[in-house]
Amino acid sequence: LLFFSTSSSSFQPPTPPSSKGHSIYDDIEYSIDDDRSSFMSSKRNDDPNAVFVVNGSSRGIGLQFVKSLLDRSQGTILACCRSPDSAHKLNEYISSLS
């Protein structure tokens, strides 16, 4: 892949930091402990008012996201796909839940 520019800009991107597995951003919590309730995802999953929107949920990874959310969350899941009538795997899975 070649990229040619007609611009005369002298911009040079900075060298990416070499974190070597250490956190380089102070505002992101990476610690792993047994208290899962401190993670934002746990709080969101336990929130009955949370809404999850999954695009491409008729098959593949989108369908797996829907299944995973149904197992671990309390909120509403909107499973979106281009052609709901032909989303056989999604429809079969939803039918199996009732």
Side-chain angles (χ1 to χ4, degrees):
L1 176 66
L2 297 174
F3 177 74
F4 295 99
S5 174
T6 59
S7 172
S8 62
S9 173
S10 62
F11 172 76
Q12 293 295 319
T15 305
S18 56
S19 65
K20 296 185 176 53
H22 301 285
S23 175
I24 57 174
Y25 299 106
D26 296 333
D27 60 339
I28 299 175
E29 177 61 42
Y30 289 108
S31 66
I32 297 175
D33 55 15
D34 291 334
D35 183 21
R36 297 280 183 208
S37 64
S38 65
F39 291 125
M40 288 299 292
S41 60
S42 293
K43 293 176 183 175
R44 185 176 52 247
N45 287 338
D46 292 339
D47 182 2
N49 295 318
V51 177
F52 302 91
V53 179
V54 181
N55 287 322
S57 61
S58 61
R59 59 188 178 94
I61 195 167
L63 179 59
Q64 190 57 46
F65 274 125
V66 170
K67 290 178 179 180
S68 179
L69 284 168
L70 282 168
D71 286 341
R72 67 172 190 222
S73 67
Q74 302 297 316
T76 301
I77 302 163
L78 298 175
C80 303
C81 59
R82 188 177 305 154
S83 303
D85 292 334
S86 63
H88 302 298
K89 292 180 181 180
L90 176 62
N91 291 325
E92 287 173 13
Y93 183 70
I94 292 172
S95 295
S96 73
L97 297 175
S98 52

